[in-house]
Every structure is written in C-alpha cells, then in structure tokens.
Amino acid sequence: MTDFEDHDTANESFDDSSVRGFLGSWQAPKADPAAKQASLAALYQELAANSSAEIPPAWAAARPRWSMLQVWLILQSQIRLVHRWIWAGTALILLLGLLVTLASNSTSSITALPFVLAAPIIAALGAALLYGDDTDPPLELQLSTPIPPRAILLARLALLFCFNLGGALIGSIILAVLRSDITFMPLVLSWLAPMTALSAFAFLCSVVLFDAALSAIISLLIWMALAWRHLGGAALPPAVSALFPDLWSARLQPALFLAALAAVLFALFLADREIRWANTGEN
Amino acid sequence: MVSDEILAVKLKNGDRSALEMLFERHYDSLFGYLFRMTFGDRALAADLAQESFLRVLRGIQTYDTARPFKAWLYGIATNAARNAVASADTRRTESFEADADYPDEAPPFEQTLLEAEAASSVIAALRQLPEHQREAIVLFYDQSFSLAQIADTLNIPVGTVKSRLSLGVKRLREIIGAENR
C-alpha cells in the first residue's frame, strides 16, 4: 500500500484536535482599521481607473490562451527540471556512436551504420526517463502551478526531441564531411523516422506504466529486436520478419511518423487523467 | 444573501458596492490567513491583502464564475504570499516582536508573554513545514476550508490535499511531541 492510500483509508486522519489546539494557541490579531480603510480607498481608486479605461474589443477576449511568451517560459522552466544526466548521457552516447561510425570505415548500407542504429535508442531512452515517479522530484512543485500536466510533458518531450534532433544533425554533418561515402540527406532520412517513432513509443510506455526504468528496459529490448531484424535481413526466418517490421526501411517512414504522432497524442491524453496525479502527488 | 460569484459579476461591470461587499466579507479572514503565511508579519500581511484585492480587480474580467470566488481570491493571495516569503525570508519573527507595541489595546504583561511564547512555538512549527503543506494546514485549521475548497484554491486534486494535510499533521504532531518532552 502506498503512502497516499494509507492516508486516504485513514479517513481524514488529519483532523487532529491536538494540532488544532496548538495552532489555535496563536491567534491572528484584528486587521488594523486604518490600514483596511486605506486598502479600500486604493481599491476604489483602481476601480475608477479601470472603469475609465477603454473596454477591450470582443476579439481581444477571444485571443489564444497561450501566448508565445508563456510557451517560452514553460520551456525554459523545463530545461532546468529535466535531469542533467539525461542531457549529458544523450550527448555522450551520440558522440560515441559518431566516433564508432567514423572508426569503423564500414562500406555496408547506410542504414547499418552504428550512428544510424544508435540514434533511435538514444532518443527513446531519454523519452522513457522523462516521466515517472522515480525520476520526477519536481512533480509536486508542478502540481501546485496552474499549468496543465500535459503542457509540462509536451514541453519536456519537445525539448528533448529537439536536443536529440540537433545532436543527430550535427553528427550527420560531421559524418558527411569526414566520410566521402556518406551523403547528408540520405543519412538524416535513415535515422529520423526510426528515432521519432521509437522515442514516441518510449514516451507512451512511460506514461502508461509510470515507471521510467521499466519503460527504458522495454524500449531497449524492442530496439534490440528491431536492430536484429534489420541487420539479419533475409537470413532470418519468415516468421520473425513478419513479426518485427524493419524500422529502418524507407517504405515504412510515413507510417512511422503517423504512428509517432498517434502515440504522443495518446500519451498526452492519458497524462492528464487526474487520478494518476492525485495518486502520485506525494512521495 | 447575495453570493460572492454574483457580486463578482457585478464587479465586472464596475459596481462599486459589489467591491465593498466583497472586501468587507473577506478582508479580515484573508488578513488572518496572510498573517500566518507570513509568520506573523502584520504589515506584510496587510500589504499582501491589499495586493490580493488589487490583483482581483485587475483580473476580474478573466474571472470564471464557475470557480468559487473565495477560492480564486485565496489562490491569488497564496501566490502573493509565496513570492513575498521567498523574497523577504530574512524578516523572520522580529516582526512579531515589533507588533507587540500596539499601545491602544495592550494586554497585561504576563498575557503578552504567554501569547508571544505560543506564537513563537507555532511560527517555529509552521516554518518547519514545507510550503505546500503549510498552506493546506493553515487553510484547513485556521480558515476552516473544506477539502474541496482547498483543492479549488490551490488548484490541485482533493487527493493531494488529503495527502498534504496528513503529512503536515504528522510533522506537526512530531514537533508538538518534541516540545512537550
């Protein structure tokens, strides 16, 4: 039984007479009548100023709830709240993937390059760790703000995805410059769809399971199976080929983007369910 | 009696009497709430109470009448208190001592001493609570808010309110127990 459930079943155990008596031993004084009158006078003044101000047009009242400034402020706050090791780990593994690819000098297909294979799982692991009670200490803080949970999660996902995208693009540029057998656009297209799909799936997984570590393990296992399927190719039994799609196949790219979009939308829908937040608000 | 929400609608149209009624209804208890949330800083509590009403006036056009007015007002006041306490944390309890020299209705010396002792115990205990637990505790015990009202005020689920109260009470019991030993 969790701490929360324990409190809940205790049926309002918080209504305690000793605490009431203790707090009641300190009574607030009466408000100073002069200060109260001064406050009311200031309010009248403000009201008069408001009344004389121009009434805003109807279109102004119907303007979007979220201004660009608000979106920027949410993104900025989430940069600080996402664990530093997610940023550092992602950058480090991308760098390792890049170095291994540069060192390998393999002339096989572009989709078999270590960098192309590694990019999706790096992004997926980061996305899996974005949401979960064990990786989210500032959750309580966020619950006390009027920002909806799904806006916070969307902001985090967008930030991390942009970070991964930026890192992978830089890596691709370096590869395209340093290796004459690699061209930039085919390289980008080879990892973009798998990376988007796998990170969206990992995010959905973490929202459904509410367990960052388990989501990361599941994502890793799925990625290993898909990489095995991709590298094994025709050598694999037909049953295995039918069970696992080739994530790096160009034919699947549009479907992967659509699946990623659906997964993120579904995850955001689930993330706003009140009971989830209520049950995990206090740890 | 006209409800707060109807008065708020009137206030949206610039009704001065609606403002006065809302002010008279809520100022004293709001001051009491802010007095506790600022650990007994009377002047700061009065400033914050005025600031809260000013924010209500400035934001009245955006007020959603589906939400209880009192919850909206206390939500604004809670935010104002959080900011003030965070930025003026150095004030500590000296302000309470400064408040003791109100000559008009000064109680006997012994009574003042006892009150000051009780006050400093409660202030010290409240200071030991995390901010979110302190808010829930003060709203529940001092302002007699229901769980739903606290949830509306702090914009959190009722389950979270219960949890904050339970943890806050548990902590306070420990503090009271330690004091009595």
Side-chain angles (χ1 to χ4, degrees):
Chain A
M1 186 183 273
T2 65
D3 206 18
F4 169 77
E5 286 165 341
D6 197 20
H7 295 139
D8 202 24
T9 50
N11 195 21
E12 307 194 356
S13 62
F14 39 80
D15 197 357
D16 184 290
S17 57
S18 64
V19 171
R20 192 175 286 282
F22 174 69
L23 293 173
S25 67
W26 178 42
Q27 290 297 323
K30 282 187 179 171
D32 181 12
K36 192 173 167 181
Q37 280 309 309
S39 290
L40 189 58
L43 289 172
Y44 284 150
Q45 215 171 358
E46 180 77 15
L47 185 65
N50 281 356
S51 304
S52 61
E54 197 180 330
I55 296 168
W59 57 263
R63 70 189 168 195
R65 232 177 114 202
W66 293 92
S67 69
M68 288 306 289
L69 178 66
Q70 280 173 306
V71 172
W72 168 245
L73 287 174
I74 293 174
L75 288 174
Q76 208 179 22
S77 68
Q78 295 310 306
I79 289 175
R80 289 194 295 269
L81 291 179
V82 172
H83 277 291
R84 281 181 192 163
W85 49 261
I86 294 184
W87 305 117
T90 303
L92 186 70
I93 301 172
L94 267 178
L95 184 67
L96 282 175
L98 176 68
L99 293 175
V100 171
T101 308
L102 280 173
S104 69
N105 272 330
S106 158
T107 51
S108 58
S109 155
I110 200 166
T111 57
L113 291 172
F115 184 78
V116 173
L117 290 172
I121 188 58
I122 296 164
L125 288 178
L129 297 173
L130 274 183
Y131 186 75
D133 51 353
D134 46 349
T135 59
D136 203 0
L139 182 71
E140 179 58 35
L141 183 72
Q142 290 164 14
L143 280 172
S144 64
T145 71
I147 304 168
R150 62 165 63 120
I152 290 169
L153 288 174
L154 188 59
R156 285 187 182 189
L157 184 66
L159 277 172
L160 190 74
F161 189 77
C162 288
F163 182 76
N164 291 327
L165 193 64
L169 280 173
I170 292 169
S172 300
I173 291 170
I174 294 171
L175 281 174
V177 168
L178 297 181
R179 279 188 56 170
S180 55
D181 58 324
I182 294 174
T183 41
F184 179 68
M185 274 317 286
L187 178 62
V188 170
L189 290 174
S190 64
W191 54 254
L192 185 59
M195 186 171 102
T196 310
L198 203 61
S199 48
F201 173 78
F203 180 61
L204 175 63
C205 225
S206 69
V207 171
V208 171
L209 300 171
F210 202 60
D211 188 321
L214 184 61
S215 308
I217 291 169
I218 290 173
S219 305
L220 190 65
L221 290 174
I222 289 176
W223 172 79
M224 284 165 70
L226 291 170
W228 174 57
R229 158 74 177 83
H230 175 67
L231 296 173
L236 292 172
V240 174
S241 301
L243 188 64
F244 295 107
D246 184 358
L247 205 66
W248 286 267
S249 157
R251 194 168 41 85
L252 271 182
Q253 283 183 3
L256 288 178
F257 283 121
L258 285 175
L261 181 67
V264 170
L265 290 177
F266 187 51
L268 291 175
F269 166 73
L270 293 176
D272 221 23
R273 287 180 308 171
E274 188 177 277
I275 186 130
R276 168 68 55 85
W277 296 86
N279 283 333
T280 53
E282 302 280 345
N283 285 308
Chain B
M1 193 172 81
V2 186
S3 73
D4 286 349
E5 291 69 35
I6 290 175
L7 289 174
V9 172
K10 288 183 174 179
L11 184 57
K12 278 188 182 189
N13 299 322
D15 189 331
R16 190 179 154 116
S17 63
L19 171 64
E20 188 177 351
M21 285 176 78
L22 285 170
F23 182 83
E24 288 299 337
R25 257 182 216 180
H26 297 293
Y27 183 88
D28 288 342
S29 57
L30 186 71
F31 170 79
Y33 171 60
L34 291 167
F35 181 75
R36 284 180 184 274
M37 294 307 294
T38 56
F39 308 112
D41 190 328
R42 195 169 180 167
L44 183 58
D47 281 352
L48 290 176
Q50 178 178 336
E51 179 62 28
S52 304
F53 275 103
L54 278 172
R55 287 191 198 179
V56 161
L57 256 187
R58 287 168 192 156
I60 192 69
Q61 297 303 333
T62 63
Y63 167 63
D64 176 9
T65 46
R67 186 179 180 191
F69 175 81
K70 194 173 179 183
W72 186 54
L73 171 65
Y74 274 71
I76 290 171
T78 302
N79 283 332
R82 276 179 200 159
N83 294 338
V85 169
S87 62
D89 204 29
T90 50
R91 287 170 186 251
R92 293 277 168 185
T93 52
E94 302 93 68
S95 56
F96 180 81
E97 287 155 23
D99 281 344
D101 51 16
Y102 274 84
D104 295 346
E105 24 184 355
F109 179 68
E110 296 80 6
Q111 191 186 338
T112 310
L113 268 182
L114 286 172
E115 282 172 4
E117 196 180 332
S120 58
S121 307
V122 178
I123 288 171
L126 287 177
R127 275 193 190 279
Q128 288 182 53
L129 294 180
E131 187 176 64
H132 58 270
Q133 288 174 16
R134 186 165 60 237
E135 289 162 0
I137 289 279
V138 173
L139 285 171
F140 184 77
Y141 283 102
D142 188 52
Q143 298 293 312
S144 304
F145 271 38
S146 67
L147 299 179
Q149 282 177 312
I150 298 174
D152 270 342
T153 302
L154 301 178
N155 240 332
I156 52 174
V158 171
T160 308
V161 175
K162 287 183 182 178
S163 180
R164 288 181 184 183
L165 283 171
S166 290
L167 293 171
V169 165
K170 190 179 164 196
R171 182 82 189 101
L172 281 176
R173 276 190 204 132
E174 288 167 6
I175 295 167
I176 297 167
E179 273 192 1
N180 291 340
R181 257 181 254 133

Short mmCIF file of all heavy atoms in Angstrom, two decimals, chain A residues 6 10 13 23 35 80 90 99 105-106 150 171 179 194 207 235-236 264:
data_model
loop_
_atom_site.label_atom_id
_atom_site.label_comp_id
_atom_site.label_asym_id
_atom_site.label_seq_id
_atom_site.Cartn_x
_atom_site.Cartn_y
_atom_site.Cartn_z
N ASP A 6 -2.59 4.89 2.19
CA ASP A 6 -2.63 4.74 3.62
C ASP A 6 -3.33 5.93 4.26
O ASP A 6 -4.19 5.79 5.11
CB ASP A 6 -1.18 4.63 4.12
CG ASP A 6 -1.14 4.07 5.52
OD1 ASP A 6 -2.14 3.45 5.90
OD2 ASP A 6 -0.13 4.26 6.20
N ALA A 10 -7.26 6.14 5.98
CA ALA A 10 -7.31 6.53 7.39
C ALA A 10 -8.50 7.45 7.66
O ALA A 10 -8.77 7.79 8.80
CB ALA A 10 -6.03 7.23 7.77
N SER A 13 -7.61 11.34 8.78
CA SER A 13 -6.82 11.26 10.00
C SER A 13 -6.14 12.58 10.30
O SER A 13 -5.57 12.76 11.35
CB SER A 13 -5.77 10.17 9.84
OG SER A 13 -4.90 10.53 8.78
N LEU A 23 -2.30 25.05 17.02
CA LEU A 23 -2.34 26.18 16.07
C LEU A 23 -3.24 27.30 16.61
O LEU A 23 -2.98 28.47 16.38
CB LEU A 23 -2.85 25.70 14.71
CG LEU A 23 -1.91 24.76 13.94
CD1 LEU A 23 -2.58 24.23 12.69
CD2 LEU A 23 -0.60 25.46 13.58
N ALA A 35 -5.43 50.67 8.19
CA ALA A 35 -4.85 50.02 7.00
C ALA A 35 -5.96 49.47 6.11
O ALA A 35 -5.87 49.52 4.88
CB ALA A 35 -3.92 48.89 7.45
N ARG A 80 15.42 23.40 -16.87
CA ARG A 80 16.06 23.26 -15.55
C ARG A 80 15.58 22.00 -14.83
O ARG A 80 16.31 21.44 -14.03
CB ARG A 80 15.73 24.49 -14.68
CG ARG A 80 16.44 25.75 -15.15
CD ARG A 80 16.35 26.82 -14.08
NE ARG A 80 14.99 27.25 -13.85
CZ ARG A 80 14.42 28.25 -14.48
NH1 ARG A 80 15.08 28.92 -15.38
NH2 ARG A 80 13.16 28.61 -14.22
N THR A 90 22.68 11.60 -23.21
CA THR A 90 22.29 11.62 -24.63
C THR A 90 23.45 12.11 -25.49
O THR A 90 23.79 11.49 -26.51
CB THR A 90 21.07 12.53 -24.82
OG1 THR A 90 20.03 12.06 -23.97
CG2 THR A 90 20.59 12.53 -26.25
N LEU A 99 31.78 8.49 -33.08
CA LEU A 99 33.19 8.04 -33.11
C LEU A 99 33.32 6.62 -33.64
O LEU A 99 34.20 6.32 -34.45
CB LEU A 99 33.80 8.16 -31.72
CG LEU A 99 33.97 9.59 -31.19
CD1 LEU A 99 34.48 9.59 -29.76
CD2 LEU A 99 34.92 10.38 -32.08
N ASN A 105 34.74 2.55 -40.66
CA ASN A 105 35.05 2.58 -42.10
C ASN A 105 34.28 1.52 -42.89
O ASN A 105 34.71 1.05 -43.93
CB ASN A 105 36.55 2.36 -42.35
CG ASN A 105 37.28 3.69 -42.31
OD1 ASN A 105 36.70 4.72 -42.67
ND2 ASN A 105 38.52 3.68 -41.87
N SER A 106 33.12 1.11 -42.32
CA SER A 106 32.31 0.09 -42.98
C SER A 106 31.71 0.66 -44.27
O SER A 106 31.30 1.81 -44.34
CB SER A 106 31.19 -0.33 -42.03
OG SER A 106 30.15 -0.89 -42.75
N ARG A 150 -0.24 17.99 -19.01
CA ARG A 150 0.10 17.61 -20.38
C ARG A 150 0.95 18.70 -21.07
O ARG A 150 1.79 18.38 -21.91
CB ARG A 150 -1.14 17.28 -21.20
CG ARG A 150 -2.15 18.37 -21.41
CD ARG A 150 -3.12 18.01 -22.53
NE ARG A 150 -3.91 16.83 -22.23
CZ ARG A 150 -5.23 16.82 -22.15
NH1 ARG A 150 -5.91 17.93 -22.33
NH2 ARG A 150 -5.87 15.72 -21.90
N GLY A 171 25.90 15.40 -35.75
CA GLY A 171 26.65 14.17 -36.01
C GLY A 171 26.62 13.80 -37.49
O GLY A 171 27.65 13.39 -38.06
N ARG A 179 33.43 11.55 -44.05
CA ARG A 179 33.44 10.29 -44.81
C ARG A 179 32.85 10.53 -46.19
O ARG A 179 31.67 10.86 -46.34
CB ARG A 179 32.65 9.21 -44.06
CG ARG A 179 33.49 8.57 -42.97
CD ARG A 179 32.83 7.40 -42.34
NE ARG A 179 32.44 6.36 -43.29
CZ ARG A 179 32.02 5.16 -42.90
NH1 ARG A 179 31.94 4.86 -41.62
NH2 ARG A 179 31.68 4.27 -43.80
N PRO A 194 12.87 6.33 -37.66
CA PRO A 194 13.00 5.40 -36.53
C PRO A 194 13.16 6.10 -35.18
O PRO A 194 12.58 5.68 -34.18
CB PRO A 194 14.27 4.61 -36.88
CG PRO A 194 14.44 4.74 -38.34
CD PRO A 194 13.89 6.07 -38.70
N VAL A 207 4.32 6.82 -19.82
CA VAL A 207 3.07 7.39 -19.32
C VAL A 207 2.12 6.27 -18.87
O VAL A 207 1.48 6.36 -17.82
CB VAL A 207 2.41 8.28 -20.39
CG1 VAL A 207 1.01 8.69 -19.97
CG2 VAL A 207 3.26 9.52 -20.63
N ALA A 235 18.38 -13.51 -43.83
CA ALA A 235 18.84 -14.72 -43.12
C ALA A 235 17.86 -15.15 -42.04
O ALA A 235 17.93 -16.28 -41.55
CB ALA A 235 20.20 -14.45 -42.50
N LEU A 236 16.94 -14.27 -41.66
CA LEU A 236 16.03 -14.59 -40.57
C LEU A 236 14.84 -15.43 -41.07
O LEU A 236 14.45 -15.32 -42.24
CB LEU A 236 15.49 -13.30 -39.94
CG LEU A 236 16.52 -12.45 -39.20
CD1 LEU A 236 15.89 -11.12 -38.82
CD2 LEU A 236 17.01 -13.18 -37.96
N VAL A 264 2.13 9.94 -29.27
CA VAL A 264 2.31 11.13 -28.42
C VAL A 264 0.95 11.69 -28.00
O VAL A 264 0.74 12.04 -26.83
CB VAL A 264 3.14 12.21 -29.16
CG1 VAL A 264 3.12 13.53 -28.40
CG2 VAL A 264 4.57 11.74 -29.33
#
